[in-house]
């Protein structure tokens, strides 16, 4: 095996181990979880297909592609597209490794994902202000959300409707 291949495999294994330790013990289950490894492309700010599966990043909620926010001066901007571009910047041309966390209500695989360069994509997106902690779970990335809000990064640089509220308002309640 070529040295580069061995280095890549070692990096992937180290990242998977790191991802597993970044999730609080209260969020981990005792049984082992399947790993999903493969190239990915971005659908929106928190969803990507990888290894023939549609993966929804566990624990975060990013603006929808059509969602707009307001900047610090009140001008609208396409925050949903910006969140998707942030995710793309982390995954483009890279192998994505995800820990399978089950299925969401739409049948998508929930995953805690990383790359060789970014151990936990959800944590990075939350900390950079491109996603909020998902309210329906144990708010795994609450600390990252609060840090982004305090520093006025990403969505927090102006005003926005939480993605779950934005979706509910489009469904009529």
């Amino acid at each position: 095996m070529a040295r580069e291949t061995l280095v890549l495999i070692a990096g992937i294994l180290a990242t998977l181990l790191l991802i597993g330790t970044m999730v609080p013990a209260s969020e981990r289950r005792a049984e082992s979880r399947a790993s999903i490894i493969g190239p990915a492309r971005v659908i929106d700010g928190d969803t990507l297909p990888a290894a023939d599966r549609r993966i929804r990043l566990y624990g975060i909620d990013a603006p929808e592609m059509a969602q707009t926010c307001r900047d610090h001066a009140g001008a609208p901007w396409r925050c949903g597209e910006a969140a998707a571009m942030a995710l793309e910047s982390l995954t483009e041309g890279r192998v994505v490794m995800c820990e399978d966390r089950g299925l969401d209500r739409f049948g998508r695989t929930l995953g805690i994902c990383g790359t060789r360069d970014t151990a936990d994509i959800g944590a990075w997106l939350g900390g950079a202000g491109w996603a909020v902690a998902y309210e329906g779970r144990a708010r795994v990335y609450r600390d990252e959300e609060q840090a982004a809000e305090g520093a006025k990064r990403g969505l927090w640089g102006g005003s926005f409707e939480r993605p779950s509220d934005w979706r509910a308002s489009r469904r009529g309640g």
Side-chain angles (χ1 to χ4, degrees), residues 18-133:
L18 182 60
I19 289 171
T21 63
M22 293 185 78
V23 178
S26 62
E27 286 292 307
R28 290 187 221 130
R29 288 191 295 203
E31 71 270 12
S32 67
R33 294 197 170 87
S35 294
I36 304 157
I37 301 174
R41 67 177 179 76
V42 171
I43 293 174
D44 61 24
D46 55 21
T47 311
L48 48 100
D52 297 326
R53 290 164 89 176
R54 191 175 188 127
I55 299 169
R56 169 76 161 72
L57 294 173
Y58 179 83
I60 64 165
D61 197 9
E64 298 298 322
M65 287 297 283
Q67 188 171 346
T68 58
C69 299
R70 302 245 173 222
D71 67 16
H72 67 282
W77 62 286
R78 296 178 174 194
C79 57
E81 289 180 16
M85 288 175 26
L87 178 55
E88 186 170 9
S89 75
L90 296 176
T91 60
E92 186 174 29
R94 293 174 181 86
V95 172
V96 175
M97 299 146 291
C98 300
E99 177 186 332
D100 185 336
R101 305 287 291 181
L103 298 176
D104 71 4
R105 63 188 178 133
F106 301 108
R108 297 175 296 192
T109 299
L110 293 168
I112 297 175
C113 301
T115 67
R116 186 174 181 183
D117 302 319
T118 307
D120 187 335
I121 293 170
W124 188 94
L125 290 168
W130 296 117
V132 296

